[in-house]
Amino acid sequence: QKIDNLLKKIKEDAKLQRQSEIKVLQAQINPHFLYNTLDALNWKALQHQDAEMTTLIRSLCDFYRISLSNGDEFIPIKDEIKHVECYLKIQSIRFKNQFTYDLEVEPHLLSMYCLKILLQPLIENAITHGLRPLDHPGEIHIRIFTQENNIIMTVEDNGVGMSDQMLDEVNNGLSNQALHKYGLYNINQRIRLTYGETYGIHIQSQLNSGTKVTVTIPQIKVEM
């Protein structure tokens, strides 16, 4: 019982430490200054009839607005999707003709809540490590659906994939901070500290065939 209580305290302390770190980072960003500057840039772009620049600025503004979310740790899935769409718009302009994407979500999940910024780092990995090394355009498929009582989020690409050895190394990194890869450790730990050890990330990949990352979280209808 003492060991169990100690483990619970360690997890609670780790969660509090991470929340404190996030608040420090958020305090370093002045959202009013950011939004006002982006708004000024947007008007300049409109004056020059630069539609692409306008899209970039608006997407960046929404991206940071959702990232901050007034300090909230949980957001509706509809906002998580908006966050992802803003990121993908920016990257689509940055890396022209290098990839296409599609997103499917079960409508009833839009009002469910989740930890924010779960999908964007996974999509960033897919672009950076999966698709950019290709010599032809790649694809990203994002799915959010229910399975039993859980919410399943998948990010799948048809990029260069990973060898069995690399896949083992990445999977080991999900639970071992010393081996963490591509920021996956932090996402997995956030999920497990919040929802429990039965939830987290699962990775499948084949060399030259692509990679699929699956996130499993519980269904939550209201903000925690």
Side-chain angles (χ1 to χ4, degrees):
Q1 184 64 40
K2 288 182 179 179
I3 292 173
D4 187 51
N5 290 337
L6 180 60
L7 288 173
K8 288 180 181 178
K9 186 178 185 306
I10 290 171
K11 288 182 180 180
E12 290 172 358
D13 289 346
K15 186 176 181 180
L16 289 171
Q17 180 182 356
R18 188 185 163 280
Q19 289 174 343
S20 298
E21 290 171 353
I22 289 173
K23 288 180 180 178
V24 169
L25 290 173
Q26 288 172 336
Q28 293 174 349
I29 302 173
N30 186 325
H32 297 294
F33 173 76
L34 177 65
Y35 298 151
N36 290 338
T37 303
L38 289 172
D39 187 57
L41 290 170
N42 187 44
W43 279 107
K44 285 290 184 182
L46 287 171
Q47 287 175 0
H48 290 83
Q49 298 183 335
D50 192 333
E52 192 171 84
M53 182 62 72
T54 297
T55 298
L56 275 171
I57 293 169
R58 287 178 175 172
S59 297
L60 184 62
C61 190
D62 287 340
F63 178 86
Y64 278 110
R65 176 180 58 80
I66 297 171
S67 295
L68 292 169
S69 297
N70 295 317
D72 294 333
E73 187 71 4
F74 295 86
I75 60 174
I77 286 179
K78 65 179 180 180
D79 287 348
E80 179 73 6
I81 293 168
K82 177 70 173 177
H83 187 253
V84 162
E85 288 175 331
C86 291
Y87 178 77
L88 285 165
K89 284 179 184 178
I90 293 169
Q91 295 298 69
S92 293
I93 293 174
R94 182 184 176 196
F95 302 114
K96 282 185 178 296
N97 304 318
Q98 288 195 15
F99 70 90
T100 58
Y101 65 88
D102 60 81
L103 194 155
E104 292 182 12
V105 56
E106 293 180 0
H108 72 279
L109 293 177
L110 294 174
S111 59
M112 296 284 185
Y113 277 76
C114 67
L115 275 171
K116 67 182 178 184
I117 317 180
L118 288 179
L119 292 174
Q120 182 271 327
L122 306 180
I123 295 168
E124 183 175 354
N125 282 339
I127 295 172
T128 303
H129 304 290
L131 301 184
R132 288 199 65 193
L134 294 174
D135 58 3
H136 57 81
E139 301 173 0
I140 299 176
H141 306 285
I142 303 155
R143 304 285 183 268
I144 304 177
F145 56 94
T146 52
Q147 191 174 83
E148 298 177 351
N149 293 321
N150 296 324
I151 296 174
I152 308 297
M153 302 177 173
T154 63
V155 176
E156 185 172 6
D157 67 71
N158 65 343
V160 296
M162 291 181 275
S163 65
D164 291 341
Q165 180 180 352
M166 183 179 293
L167 180 60
D168 288 341
E169 187 178 326
V170 172
N171 275 319
N172 288 335
L174 291 176
S175 56
N176 187 337
Q177 189 171 15
L179 299 174
H180 75 280
K181 288 281 186 177
Y182 313 133
L184 294 172
Y185 170 83
N186 289 333
I187 302 171
N188 200 47
Q189 286 300 103
R190 285 179 64 207
I191 293 171
R192 291 186 173 184
L193 283 170
T194 302
Y195 300 118
E197 295 293 325
T198 57
Y199 300 98
I201 293 175
H202 176 66
I203 304 170
Q204 299 166 279
S205 186
Q206 287 187 345
L207 194 61
N208 301 320
S209 296
T211 299
K212 181 178 181 180
V213 181
T214 301
V215 175
T216 304
I217 60 174
Q219 293 189 48
I220 299 175
K221 295 182 180 180
V222 295
E223 185 176 359
M224 294 179 67

